[in-house]
Amino acid sequence: MNTLHQSFSVRFTYDVYFSDRLFESTNPTLLDFLQKHHSEGFRKKLLFILDEGVTTAHPELPDQIKTYFSRVSIVDLIPDLIVIPGGEGSKNDPLLVDQLVEAVDRYGIDRHSYVVAVGGGSVLDLVGYVAAISHRGIRHLRIPTTVLSQNDSGIGVKNGVNYRGKKNFLGSFAPPTAVFNDAHFLATLDDRDWRSGMSEAIKVALIKDQAFFVWLEDNAEKLAARDLEAMQYLVHRCAELHLNHIASGDPFEMGSSRPLDFGHWSAHKLEQLTDFEVRHGEAVAIGIALDSVYSQRMGWLSEADTNRILNLERILGFSLFHPALDGDGVLKGLNEFREHLGGRLTIMLLKAIGKGVEVHEMDPNRIREAIGILKENETQPV
Amino acid sequence: MNTLHQSFSVRFTYDVYFSDRLFESTNPTLLDFLQKHHSEGFRKKLLFILDEGVTTAHPELPDQIKTYFSRVSIVDLIPDLIVIPGGEGSKNDPLLVDQLVEAVDRYGIDRHSYVVAVGGGSVLDLVGYVAAISHRGIRHLRIPTTVLSQNDSGIGVKNGVNYRGKKNFLGSFAPPTAVFNDAHFLATLDDRDWRSGMSEAIKVALIKDQAFFVWLEDNAEKLAARDLEAMQYLVHRCAELHLNHIASGDPFEMGSSRPLDFGHWSAHKLEQLTDFEVRHGEAVAIGIALDSVYSQRMGWLSEADTNRILNLERILGFSLFHPALDGDGVLKGLNEFREHLGGRLTIMLLKAIGKGVEVHEMDPNRIREAIGILKENETQPV
C-alpha cells in the first residue's frame, strides 16, 4: 500500500509588551491584553505562580495583583497566588513540578485559561514546562523579572527542568501566549543579576548587529552605574534581535545549528563545575571572552576587535576568568556539547564584531592557549 | 517602548509506511528509512520500547529486531529492548515515565537518535510523551500494532499519560518522525481489539467521506470475519482521512473545534464509568450510535441514514448499549467535555452520512431519549 505523506505548518504568534509597574491600578497593559483575548462564552482563569525572590524584594506584590484583578470582571483570578523558590535550585526539584501540576488540576485550569509566571529565568522555565505538559499545553503568560529573562530566555520558546543534575534534560518548545516585561523589577535586582543578563546582549550584538555593539560600548559606563533607561533600551534591542533570530531560523531546533549558543559551550560547563555558584550570565561573559580570544588565535578576529570585546565586558564589571577554567574540566564541556548535538559539533565563533562563523571543530590546544591568555589578563592590571 | 510582535511557522512532516513483517531480514522498509535519514558525522542510536502484549503474542520479536539491526551498520541498536505493560493501565503509572526517561539518560539518546515504540495506543501515548519531554523532544518512531493505533491515535500528533486517573492530563502535541504500520500484527489481535479500532473508521467516514461509509457497508461481513486484506484497506483509508484532517485543520488544537471527537464525549465518560472495562473503540461505537440517534431525534439526520449506521455497527459486532448509560452518569461527561474545552461546548453531530454539523449545546432530555432508544433496540431482536 502506498506511503502516506503528512505535512503541515503551525503558526505561532505572541507579543512582548514593555511596561513599568504592571500591577498599578492605572496600568492598562494587562487589562488591554485580556480584553483583546476575551471571547464570549469562555470564562478564563488566571493561576499566578510567583518567584520567592520577587515577593521578597516586592512584598506588596501579591496584594497588588489581587487588587488589580478585583476590578477585572472578564477573568477569574485564582486567589491562591503560589510562591515558589527561585534560582537554578527550583529546576532541580521534581516535587515543585508535581506541586504545580496538582494546582492546575485542583483549580481546573483548562486550555483556555492562563498560567502566569512572575520571576527569573528558572521559575519561568519551570512554570513554562508545567504549562506545556498540562492538558497538552495551557496558555502561558510570562512576566520576567530579571535582565536575563527579559532580554533572552523569558521571551523565547523554550522551557525545561533539570533531571538528576542534567540541565534542561526535561522540557519542550512551547511559545508563550504573551510576555510582559516590567522595567520596575529591574531596579531592585542585586548587582550580580543586573549585570549578568547583559552578557546575552553582548552575545547577540557580536553575532548579529555591529551597531548594537557600538551602542553597548557607548553606554557601558551608564549601564555599569545602573542607569535604568539605558538598561531598558538594552533589554528591548536584545529582545528584538533574539525574537528575529528565532523567527528567521529554526525555532524548535530541529537541526544542529545553534547560533545563539555562541559563548555557551564553555559557559554551561563552567556553571556545572562551580555548582552554579557562577551564574549563567557571568559564565556566558567568560564564554564569550574565551571564544573571542580563540577566534583571534585562529586568525579570524582582529586583535583590535578582540580587545574591544574584552574591554566592554570589563567596563560592565564582568570577570573574564574563573579558576575552574584551569585543568581540562571545561574541555569536557565541548564533548558534552557534541553529544548533546547528536555527534556532530556546530559552534558559533566570530569573524568580526557583528559577524559570526560556524565551525565543526575546535582545537583543544588553542582553547588551552586562550584560557591561558584570559588568566594572564585577569591577574595583570588593565 | 513599542511592543514586539513575534510570528513564525514551524513545518512538520512525517511519512506513514505500510508494510508486512517489518523485521523480516528481507524487508527493506526500515532500512530504507534509516538510510534516507542518515547524515555523515551523526551516529544515531535506536532505543526500542515494546508493549508486553505484543511480545506475548510474538515471542520471537525481540530476537528478530536484534537480528535485523545486526546487519544495519549506520545506526546503533541499544541491545536492551525495554518491555513494558500495555493497555490503559500503563498510562496510569508515573513510575513507567520515570523508568523510560532514565533509560533515555542512561543510553545517551540524543535529539538525533530515535526512540522506537512498538505497541498499542497506550504504549505509543506513553512513549511518545517521554520522547517529547526528553531533551525537548527526541526523534520518535512509532510502530502501532492495533487497528485503533494504526488508523487513528498512532498516526496522529498527540501523546499523553493519565494523572490521578484523569485521562491524558499530561501530554503534548509532538508529531512522530515516522510511523510504520505492520499488517502482520493485526492478524494476532484478539477479536475485541480487531473490532474496536473499526469504530474510528466509521466515525471518520460519517463526518468526512460518504463513499468510505458505503465501502464499510459493502465489506462489513468480510471485516467481521477477520479478512486481513479488507482490514488493510480500512486502516489505510481511515489513516489517510485522519492525516488529511489534521493537516487541513488545527493540528495542535489551539481553538475549540474538535471534529474528530464525534461520538467521543460520551465514550470518554463511558470508559471511565466502567473503569476502562469497555475499551476505547467499543465506547466510541456506542458514542457514535448515541449521537446518531440524537441527530435523528433533532431532525437533522434521516431515519434511514440512522438505521444504516446502527446496522453497520451491529454487523461488525459492536454492542450499541451499555448498562452504564442508565442514570445520568454519562450526561456528566458533557459537562466535563465543556470544561475541558474551556467553558464553551463544541460538539460534532450529523446532518447526513459523510456530513457533520457542529453544535454548541445538547439537550439532556433528548440525550436521555436517545439512550432509551438504544437500550430498547439492544434488548429487542433485530
Side-chain angles (χ1 to χ4, degrees):
Chain A
M1 295 216 163
N2 63 312
T3 300
L4 298 173
H5 307 285
Q6 178 66 309
S7 174
F8 58 84
S9 289
V10 179
R11 185 140 206 93
F12 298 93
T13 59
Y14 59 94
D15 287 342
V16 180
Y17 300 90
F18 293 81
S19 190
D20 195 339
R21 299 174 203 256
L22 272 175
F23 297 106
E24 277 208 350
S25 59
T26 52
N27 190 319
T29 313
L30 270 167
L31 185 57
D32 286 351
F33 168 83
L34 292 169
Q35 267 162 349
K36 203 174 111 193
H37 288 77
H38 178 60
S39 37
E40 274 318 309
F42 289 99
R43 191 76 208 159
K44 297 186 183 196
K45 298 175 189 171
L46 267 73
L47 175 66
F48 268 80
I49 296 152
L50 311 173
D51 188 323
E52 199 172 37
V54 177
T55 56
T56 302
H58 301 271
E60 74 291 354
L61 186 64
D63 282 341
Q64 271 192 332
I65 293 173
K66 286 184 190 179
T67 305
Y68 189 90
F69 286 101
S70 68
R71 285 188 291 258
V72 178
S73 61
I74 51 167
V75 293
D76 294 324
L77 176 71
I78 302 294
D80 173 18
L81 308 184
I82 299 172
V83 178
I84 59 170
E88 190 68 27
S90 63
K91 292 173 64 175
N92 286 323
D93 183 358
L95 292 179
L96 278 176
V97 173
D98 290 347
Q99 182 197 335
L100 298 182
V101 167
E102 201 274 329
V104 167
D105 181 23
R106 179 158 27 105
Y107 294 118
I109 306 301
D110 57 57
R111 280 169 57 80
H112 295 275
S113 291
Y114 299 106
V115 172
V116 190
V118 185
S122 296
V123 165
L124 301 183
D125 274 356
L126 165 64
V127 176
Y129 176 63
V130 169
I133 62 174
S134 298
H135 292 303
R136 296 202 183 101
I138 295 173
R139 282 160 214 254
H140 174 40
L141 304 182
R142 292 206 199 118
I143 303 180
T145 58
T146 62
V147 174
L148 186 65
S149 54
Q150 289 196 3
N151 72 11
D152 189 88
S153 63
I155 59 161
V157 296
K158 299 190 202 181
N159 58 58
V161 295
N162 306 333
Y163 172 77
R164 300 192 179 180
K166 299 207 174 175
K167 201 167 158 90
N168 298 324
F169 190 90
L170 296 176
S172 73
F173 293 92
T177 306
V179 183
F180 300 88
N181 275 344
D182 182 341
H184 181 57
F185 289 119
L186 303 181
T188 55
L189 292 175
D190 72 30
D191 283 344
R192 283 180 74 184
D193 278 337
W194 171 276
R195 182 187 306 116
S196 66
M198 292 192 284
S199 57
E200 300 287 358
I202 302 171
K203 174 200 75 179
V204 78
L206 283 173
I207 58 175
K208 298 260 175 195
D209 186 356
Q210 203 237 349
F212 184 38
F213 188 84
V214 172
W215 182 93
L216 287 167
E217 290 182 311
D218 290 346
N219 290 273
E221 269 95 7
K222 276 194 198 169
L223 290 163
R226 299 198 60 145
D227 181 307
L228 188 57
E229 209 175 311
M231 183 58 96
Q232 283 178 270
Y233 179 83
L234 176 147
V235 166
H236 192 273
R237 181 65 185 146
C238 182
E240 193 171 23
L241 289 164
H242 192 88
L243 290 170
N244 289 347
H245 172 76
I246 291 173
S248 64
D250 173 17
F252 291 177
E253 296 177 7
M254 292 168 180
S256 274
S257 179
R258 306 269 287 269
L260 288 184
D261 275 352
F262 170 61
H264 278 57
W265 69 267
S266 56
H268 285 310
K269 192 67 193 172
L270 191 56
E271 284 177 86
Q272 196 203 334
L273 286 171
T274 62
D275 212 9
F276 297 95
E277 198 282 309
V278 176
R279 295 186 192 171
H280 180 68
E282 296 167 341
V284 169
I286 292 172
I288 289 171
L290 177 58
D291 284 352
S292 300
V293 172
Y294 180 91
S295 298
Q296 189 262 316
R297 300 308 291 170
M298 294 300 286
W300 300 323
L301 187 67
S302 73
E303 196 167 339
D305 280 352
T306 309
N307 287 332
R308 283 173 68 190
I309 299 167
L310 302 184
N311 280 336
L312 172 61
E313 294 202 334
R314 277 198 207 95
I315 295 169
L316 293 175
F318 286 108
S319 296
L320 306 191
F321 178 77
H322 189 283
L325 290 177
D326 276 332
D328 275 358
V330 82
L331 279 167
K332 284 191 193 134
L334 201 61
N335 264 328
E336 285 167 19
F337 197 61
R338 185 198 314 272
E339 277 173 30
H340 179 67
L341 293 178
R344 184 165 178 245
L345 197 64
T346 301
I347 295 263
M348 176 65 85
L349 293 171
L350 293 181
K351 276 175 85 167
I353 286 172
K355 208 167 168 54
V357 56
E358 280 195 341
V359 301
H360 297 293
E361 55 181 331
M362 287 184 79
D363 176 345
N365 287 325
R366 283 281 165 87
I367 295 173
R368 288 190 193 97
E369 203 179 302
I371 290 173
I373 288 168
L374 291 180
K375 183 175 184 177
E376 203 180 296
N377 282 353
E378 190 78 356
T379 49
Q380 305 280 319
V382 183
Chain B
M1 296 215 165
N2 64 313
T3 300
L4 299 172
H5 308 286
Q6 177 66 310
S7 175
F8 58 84
S9 290
V10 179
R11 185 141 206 90
F12 298 93
T13 60
Y14 59 95
D15 288 342
V16 179
Y17 299 90
F18 293 81
S19 189
D20 195 339
R21 301 174 201 256
L22 271 173
F23 297 107
E24 277 209 348
S25 60
T26 52
N27 190 318
T29 314
L30 271 166
L31 184 57
D32 285 353
F33 168 84
L34 292 168
Q35 266 161 349
K36 203 174 110 192
H37 288 78
H38 178 59
S39 36
E40 274 316 311
F42 289 99
R43 190 79 207 158
K44 298 186 183 197
K45 298 175 189 171
L46 268 74
L47 176 66
F48 268 79
I49 297 154
L50 311 174
D51 187 325
E52 200 172 36
V54 178
T55 55
T56 302
H58 301 270
E60 74 291 354
L61 186 64
D63 282 340
Q64 271 192 332
I65 293 173
K66 286 184 191 180
T67 305
Y68 189 90
F69 285 101
S70 68
R71 285 187 292 256
V72 178
S73 60
I74 52 168
V75 292
D76 293 324
L77 176 72
I78 302 294
D80 174 17
L81 308 184
I82 299 173
V83 178
I84 60 171
E88 191 68 27
S90 63
K91 291 173 65 175
N92 286 322
D93 184 358
L95 293 179
L96 278 177
V97 173
D98 290 347
Q99 181 197 336
L100 298 183
V101 167
E102 200 273 328
V104 167
D105 181 22
R106 178 160 25 108
Y107 295 118
I109 306 302
D110 56 59
R111 281 169 57 80
H112 296 274
S113 291
Y114 299 105
V115 172
V116 190
V118 184
S122 297
V123 165
L124 301 183
D125 274 357
L126 165 64
V127 175
Y129 177 64
V130 169
I133 62 175
S134 298
H135 292 303
R136 297 201 182 100
I138 296 172
R139 282 160 214 253
H140 175 39
L141 305 182
R142 291 205 199 119
I143 303 179
T145 58
T146 61
V147 174
L148 186 66
S149 55
Q150 289 196 3
N151 72 10
D152 188 88
S153 63
I155 59 161
V157 297
K158 300 189 200 181
N159 60 58
V161 295
N162 306 334
Y163 172 75
R164 300 191 179 181
K166 299 207 175 177
K167 201 167 158 91
N168 298 325
F169 191 90
L170 297 176
S172 73
F173 293 91
T177 306
V179 182
F180 301 88
N181 276 344
D182 182 340
H184 181 57
F185 289 118
L186 303 181
T188 54
L189 292 177
D190 70 32
D191 282 345
R192 283 180 73 185
D193 277 339
W194 170 276
R195 181 187 308 115
S196 67
M198 292 193 283
S199 56
E200 300 288 357
I202 301 171
K203 175 201 75 179
V204 77
L206 282 173
I207 58 175
K208 297 262 175 194
D209 185 356
Q210 203 236 348
F212 184 37
F213 187 85
V214 172
W215 183 92
L216 287 168
E217 291 182 310
D218 291 347
N219 290 273
E221 269 93 6
K222 274 194 197 169
L223 290 164
R226 301 198 60 146
D227 181 309
L228 189 58
E229 208 174 312
M231 182 59 96
Q232 282 177 273
Y233 178 82
L234 177 147
V235 166
H236 191 273
R237 181 64 185 147
C238 181
E240 192 172 24
L241 288 165
H242 192 88
L243 290 169
N244 288 347
H245 172 77
I246 292 173
S248 64
D250 173 18
F252 291 177
E253 297 177 8
M254 293 168 177
S256 273
S257 180
R258 306 271 286 269
L260 288 185
D261 276 353
F262 169 60
H264 278 57
W265 69 267
S266 56
H268 284 312
K269 193 66 192 172
L270 190 57
E271 284 178 86
Q272 197 202 334
L273 286 171
T274 62
D275 212 10
F276 297 96
E277 196 282 308
V278 175
R279 295 187 191 170
H280 181 69
E282 295 167 341
V284 169
I286 293 173
I288 289 171
L290 177 58
D291 284 352
S292 299
V293 173
Y294 180 91
S295 299
Q296 190 261 318
R297 302 306 292 168
M298 294 300 286
W300 300 323
L301 188 66
S302 73
E303 198 168 337
D305 279 354
T306 310
N307 287 333
R308 282 173 69 189
I309 298 168
L310 302 184
N311 280 337
L312 172 62
E313 294 203 333
R314 278 198 206 96
I315 296 170
L316 292 175
F318 285 109
S319 297
L320 305 192
F321 178 77
H322 189 282
L325 289 178
D326 276 330
D328 274 0
V330 81
L331 278 167
K332 284 193 192 130
L334 200 61
N335 264 328
E336 285 167 19
F337 196 61
R338 185 198 315 273
E339 277 173 29
H340 179 68
L341 294 178
R344 183 163 178 250
L345 197 65
T346 301
I347 295 264
M348 176 65 84
L349 292 171
L350 291 183
K351 276 173 86 165
I353 286 173
K355 206 165 169 56
V357 56
E358 279 195 341
V359 302
H360 296 293
E361 54 180 333
M362 286 183 80
D363 177 345
N365 286 326
R366 284 282 166 86
I367 295 174
R368 288 190 194 98
E369 204 179 301
I371 290 174
I373 290 169
L374 290 180
K375 185 175 181 177
E376 204 181 295
N377 283 353
E378 191 76 356
T379 50
Q380 306 278 320
V382 182

